[in-house]
Amino acid sequence: MIILDKSTAVPVKRNFKRSIAKSRSTLRLPRRAGRWQEYSLAGLFLAPSLVLFSIFLFYPLLKSVYLSVHSTTPRGDVAKYIGLRNFEKLFDSGHFLSSLWVTFEFMLFTVPTSILLALILAAICRTHLRGSKIFRFLFSLPIAISVGTGSVIWMMLFHPTLGMLNYILQSLGLPAVQWLTSPDWALLSISLMTIWMNVGFLFILLLGGMEGVPEDIYESAKMDGASPIRTFIQLTLPLISPTLFFASVTSMIGAFQSFGQIHILTKGGPMNSTNVLVYNLYQDAFVNFRFGSGSAQALVLFVLILILTIIQFTFGEKKVHYQ
């Protein structure tokens, strides 16, 4: 048996501690190398998206900021720096303020009605009645139709003499309506067509949210004697509130960006009754070649959408029930 005294015990402890420190340092190196490999791999996968976003999103945004503080020639060349004068001219112009008001009216006409109609249709198809699959196909059909095609279809429906809508009104003994040529009806007509275009996407979205609600909840409510309407209001709506919140935010953004149907059906008329902000921007920038004013309007539109989205997230998200 070898007996170690106290003088030999100290170096053994020190050597043991040094070996542990060396082993920890050697373990850290591969961990750090693995993290850098993960970061480089993630950057490699994100590179195509970053390139596309830089070309089609970040660069146009920076270019709009640059043009909004400069005056431009009809060829689009920058003439001189004018500061915030483009923004001052916009808010001093009654034409721009009128287009801003028309945009808010268009949003109020389309967004709540589209969500309410899609919610009702989704609730009907959620009951699994006979033939519900056919109705699901019909209700979701507008999502497969482009804005141009839908605008041409509704142009024929809105025709003052050959259109189906006026034919139905006259068959009921009602006077014909000048859908697209009357300032009182033009914005409502565009809103009607836009609601029809939006219902398909919202219907699929809300129906998917309802299908995600467990059946046990409905069975428990039915055993407790809850009526279908009470079950829908007190159970279904709170459980699909995240889907409703997403639908409201995207619908609001889409309403502010509507352009195709207005350009095809009314071109901002009659008497600027359908001249929304995006179409007014298009007229200034690409028809009148005032790129500074058009860029300023684009930034105003961006700020408005950002503010409304922040308001929705600040107040609307409090009522969202996340499971």
Side-chain angles (χ1 to χ4, degrees), residues 70-83:
H70 290 82
S71 62
T72 57
T73 63
R75 296 178 57 184
D77 299 328
V78 175
K80 63 177 180 178
Y81 174 79
I82 59 173

Side-chain angles (χ1 to χ4, degrees), residues 83-315:
L84 300 178
R85 196 173 304 171
N86 283 325
F87 296 94
E88 294 175 0
K89 290 181 180 179
L90 284 181
F91 289 100
D92 290 337
S93 172
H95 190 66
F96 171 75
L97 297 177
S98 175
S99 67
L100 194 60
W101 174 249
V102 171
T103 305
F104 275 104
E105 281 186 324
F106 179 74
M107 182 193 68
L108 293 176
F109 287 157
T110 57
V111 173
T113 310
S114 299
I115 295 176
L116 181 61
L117 183 58
L119 188 63
I120 294 173
L121 296 178
I124 293 173
C125 292
R126 175 64 177 76
T127 56
H128 301 289
L129 297 175
R130 181 178 296 179
S132 61
K133 293 183 179 179
I134 299 176
F135 287 106
R136 290 187 183 192
F137 171 75
L138 294 176
F139 295 154
S140 60
L141 189 60
I143 197 174
I145 300 176
S146 64
V147 176
T149 305
S151 300
V152 173
I153 293 173
W154 281 87
M155 183 183 294
M156 293 186 289
L157 293 175
F158 287 138
H159 196 277
T161 57
L162 304 176
M164 182 61 67
L165 296 180
N166 278 342
Y167 175 78
I168 295 173
L169 291 177
Q170 290 176 350
S171 63
L172 296 175
L174 299 174
V177 175
Q178 302 298 320
W179 296 99
L180 299 176
T181 57
S182 172
D184 298 329
W185 286 96
L187 187 61
L188 290 174
S189 303
I190 298 292
S191 301
L192 181 63
M193 181 260 175
T194 305
I195 291 169
W196 175 79
M197 291 289 297
N198 293 339
V199 160
F201 170 73
L202 295 174
F203 167 76
I204 295 174
L205 187 67
L206 295 175
L207 182 61
M210 291 183 184
E211 292 289 346
V213 178
E215 288 288 342
D216 299 339
I217 298 178
Y218 291 113
E219 293 177 359
S220 300
K222 189 175 181 180
M223 292 176 62
D224 292 338
S227 63
I229 297 177
R230 185 178 179 182
T231 302
F232 179 77
I233 295 175
Q234 296 186 356
L235 287 179
T236 304
L237 288 181
L239 291 176
I240 66 168
S241 56
T243 309
L244 281 172
F245 179 71
F246 175 78
S248 64
V249 172
T250 54
S251 299
M252 184 271 297
I253 295 174
F256 270 90
Q257 295 178 342
S258 297
F259 170 78
Q261 62 269 42
I262 297 169
H263 181 61
I264 295 173
L265 293 176
T266 60
K267 297 188 182 301
M271 298 175 61
N272 295 322
S273 59
T274 60
N275 188 32
V276 294
L277 188 56
V278 174
Y279 193 79
N280 191 61
L281 184 159
Y282 164 78
Q283 289 284 334
D284 274 354
F286 301 105
V287 177
N288 300 323
F289 299 104
R290 294 184 295 189
F291 296 103
S293 177
S295 299
Q297 292 181 65
L299 293 178
V300 171
L301 178 64
F302 171 76
V303 172
L304 282 176
I305 293 176
L306 180 62
I307 291 174
L308 291 175
T309 305
I310 292 174
I311 291 173
Q312 284 184 303
F313 271 90
T314 303
F315 298 100

Side-chain angles (χ1 to χ4, degrees), residues 39-64:
Y39 293 154
S40 59
L41 186 62
L44 182 63
F45 282 112
L46 290 174
S49 300
L50 292 175
V51 171
L52 291 176
F53 276 114
S54 300
I55 295 174
F56 297 105
L57 182 63
F58 301 137
Y59 173 73
L61 179 61
L62 295 176
K63 189 69 173 180
S64 297

